[in-house]
């Protein structure tokens, strides 16, 4: 059934009215978006200027930290209907001016981000180049704050393009660089449960059951083509675990999943699948197909030797189900045993849950 137009509802409307209405609706929505972006940029300009003034007076005139408390109080009294002048927010403004000093703040990508995104960058990152990388990616790909927080938590900047590959020997230089940027190492599938990781079939099923989160883990621009794709090769059946397509680079990406450590034979199997997809599915306008082997662990030297002798462009990456910082924070078995042993022999002096701390709320 075709959608009902305004003219269908009211036949007296002139021809072309529905098309004009749709154009105007699009124009209004675009104008509202531009206005919101302009308002956000103006807000960041204000916050940056306030932070700059606080920073300057503290550095040059020796103003103490207590001045921020007084400023927050007085600004709230002067503008009771405007949020954003809490003590904590003023400290963020100071941090903003310190992180992006100078008059060239506005042309930078960070000036196009919502204030919540900026605060996330200030909270988690100290290195200017890394902050700018995330700000650029967030603007370019339209990340929500939750997506930005996820990528910060899983250290996307350190994982992007990090998987060992043989792309430089199998692809032209420019294409090799592009293909390398598609890889992650490790791939973080923190949306999986413990049961999803029990076997290769369970891992694959878990990834497919949560496809949107899986595609996010593989990177921007990846589209799902299919799983368990079967090819008949003169009577022999070959099955591709997972097939993706990168919409910007116009290339197929064959993904092979293994729950164990890397074995050279895995690359032979994946290379066959890459050649098969290249022959059966790739069109003339497509870039060469690449393969990504996901393993639970690897011997770096063995991977290097295996990749150097492989005939197809492939990368070998590890995968994990916890963000790096959470994984690093987990105690090893010996440490955990020691803590539990001490706890069994130590008398309690406070009831559980007696120590609580409230979190300051921003306004």
């Amino acid at each position: 059934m075709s959608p009902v137009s305004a003219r269908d509802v009211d036949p007296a409307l002139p021809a072309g009215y529905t098309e004009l209405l749709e154009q105007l609706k699009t124009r209004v929505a675009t104008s509202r978006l531009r206005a919101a972006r302009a308002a956000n940029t103006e807000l960041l300009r204000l916050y940056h200027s306030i932070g700059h003034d606080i920073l300057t007076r503290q550095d040059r005139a020796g103003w103490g930290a207590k001045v921020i408390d007084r400023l927050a109080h007085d600004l709230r009294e002067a503008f009771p209907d405007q949020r954003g002048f809490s003590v904590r927010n003023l400290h963020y403004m100071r941090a903003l001016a310190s992180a992006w000093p100078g008059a060239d703040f506005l042309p930078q990508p960070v000036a196009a981000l919502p204030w919540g995104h900026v605060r996330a960058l200030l909270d988690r990152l100290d290195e200017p180049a890394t902050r700018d990388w995330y700000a650029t990616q967030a603007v370019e790909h339209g990340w929500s704050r939750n997506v930005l927080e996820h990528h910060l938590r899983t250290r996307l900047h350190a994982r992007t393009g990090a998987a060992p590959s043989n792309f430089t020997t199998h692809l032209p230089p420019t294409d090799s660089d592009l293909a390398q940027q598609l890889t992650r190492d490790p791939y973080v599938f923190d949306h999986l449960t413990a049961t999803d990781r029990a076997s290769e079939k369970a891992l694959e099923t878990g990834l497919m059951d949560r496809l949107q989160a899986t595609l996010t883990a593989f990177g921007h621009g990846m589209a799902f083509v299919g799983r368990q794709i079967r090819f008949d090769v003169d009577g022999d059946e070959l099955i591709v675990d997972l097939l993706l397509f990168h919409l910007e680079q116009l290339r197929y990406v064959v993904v092979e999943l293994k729950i164990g450590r890397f074995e050279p034979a895995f690359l032979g199997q994946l290379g066959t699948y890459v050649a098969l997809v290249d022959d059966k599915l790739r069109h003339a306008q497509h870039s060469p197909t690449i393969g990504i082997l996901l393993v639970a662990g690897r011997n770096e030297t063995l991977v290097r030797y295996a990749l150097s002798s492989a005939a197809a462009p492939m990368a070998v990456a590890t995968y994990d189900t916890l963000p790096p910082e959470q994984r690093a924070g987990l105690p090893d078995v010996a440490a955990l045993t020691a803590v539990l042993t001490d706890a069994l022999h130590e008398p309690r002096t406070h009831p559980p849950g007696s120590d609580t701390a409230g979190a300051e709320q921003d306004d």
Side-chain angles (χ1 to χ4, degrees):
M1 180 182 294
S2 59
V4 178
S5 69
R7 195 163 184 240
D8 293 329
V9 176
D10 186 353
L13 293 174
Y17 176 85
T18 300
E19 291 77 7
L20 175 62
L21 177 61
E22 292 305 313
Q23 291 173 10
L24 293 181
K25 285 162 63 176
T26 301
R27 197 179 306 166
V28 170
T30 302
S31 178
R32 290 176 62 178
L33 179 59
R34 288 175 179 167
R37 287 177 175 170
N40 179 74
T41 300
E42 186 58 35
L43 180 68
L44 286 182
R45 186 204 301 267
L46 172 65
Y47 283 179
H48 186 271
S49 68
I50 292 173
H52 173 75
D53 288 344
I54 293 172
L55 192 63
T56 300
R57 282 161 176 77
Q58 286 184 332
D59 288 346
R60 296 179 185 174
W63 286 16
K66 288 294 183 183
V67 173
I68 293 182
D69 296 357
R70 180 56 186 266
L71 272 176
H73 175 272
D74 290 343
L75 286 172
R76 278 170 152 173
E77 278 204 341
F79 305 99
D81 59 339
Q82 183 169 344
R83 302 180 62 185
F85 294 132
S86 67
V87 173
R88 187 175 183 182
N89 231 25
L90 288 180
H91 278 287
Y92 273 118
M93 294 176 203
R94 182 189 183 281
L96 173 67
S98 177
W100 286 278
D104 60 346
F105 165 70
L106 282 180
Q108 300 188 56
V110 67
L113 291 176
W115 181 233
H117 288 57
V118 176
R119 287 187 358 189
L121 295 176
L122 293 172
D123 280 338
R124 288 187 171 271
L125 301 172
D126 296 320
E127 174 61 38
T130 307
R131 280 195 303 258
D132 288 339
W133 186 88
Y134 279 101
T136 300
Q137 297 297 311
V139 172
E140 181 178 344
H141 301 309
W143 290 347
S144 67
R145 183 173 178 178
N146 285 341
V147 171
L148 173 61
E149 290 274 12
H150 171 81
H151 289 321
L152 288 168
R153 188 172 67 252
T154 60
R155 292 176 52 79
L156 178 63
H157 72 284
R159 298 186 294 112
T160 298
S165 73
N166 61 4
F167 294 155
T168 56
T169 58
H170 288 77
L171 300 172
T174 302
D175 198 33
S176 169
D177 292 341
L178 289 173
Q180 188 66 45
Q181 287 305 303
L182 294 185
T183 70
R184 307 279 188 268
D185 192 37
Y187 285 86
V188 177
F189 302 133
D190 55 352
H191 56 287
L192 298 183
T193 65
T195 55
D196 293 330
R197 309 190 296 270
S199 66
E200 285 167 19
K201 182 174 179 58
L203 173 62
E204 181 186 334
T205 300
L207 293 178
M208 291 305 98
D209 287 346
R210 302 160 186 82
L211 182 57
Q212 184 174 356
T214 298
L215 290 177
T216 297
F218 275 101
H220 179 78
M222 284 289 191
F224 175 69
V225 178
R227 60 176 292 203
Q228 294 291 300
I229 299 178
R230 301 174 185 274
F231 292 92
D232 181 87
V233 182
D234 295 336
D236 288 326
E237 185 179 63
L238 297 182
I239 303 174
V240 173
D241 278 351
L242 179 61
L243 186 61
L244 306 177
F245 189 82
H246 195 268
L247 300 175
E248 295 175 359
Q249 295 189 22
L250 296 180
R251 76 165 84 243
Y252 285 103
V253 180
V254 182
V255 180
E256 182 71 12
L257 309 171
K258 300 294 180 183
I259 62 169
R261 287 180 60 81
F262 171 80
E263 296 180 18
F266 296 159
L267 285 185
Q269 181 183 23
L270 178 58
T272 301
Y273 295 159
V274 169
L276 187 60
V277 170
D278 237 4
D279 181 55
K280 300 293 186 181
L281 300 181
R282 179 188 170 198
H283 293 172
Q285 68 270 27
H286 292 164
S287 300
T289 303
I290 64 172
I292 297 177
L293 176 67
L294 295 180
V295 293
R298 68 186 181 221
N299 177 317
E300 300 290 344
T301 304
L302 188 59
V303 167
R304 188 171 69 249
Y305 285 138
L307 283 172
S308 67
S309 61
M314 294 179 287
V316 178
T318 56
Y319 63 87
D320 209 328
T321 55
L322 283 176
E325 64 182 30
Q326 292 183 23
R327 187 174 66 252
L330 293 176
D332 58 28
V333 175
L336 188 58
T337 301
V339 169
L340 292 175
T341 302
D342 291 343
L344 288 174
H345 293 87
E346 185 174 307
R348 275 188 175 172
T349 56
H350 301 285
S354 60
D355 294 328
T356 58
E360 181 182 353
Q361 298 295 316
D362 290 335
D363 65 356

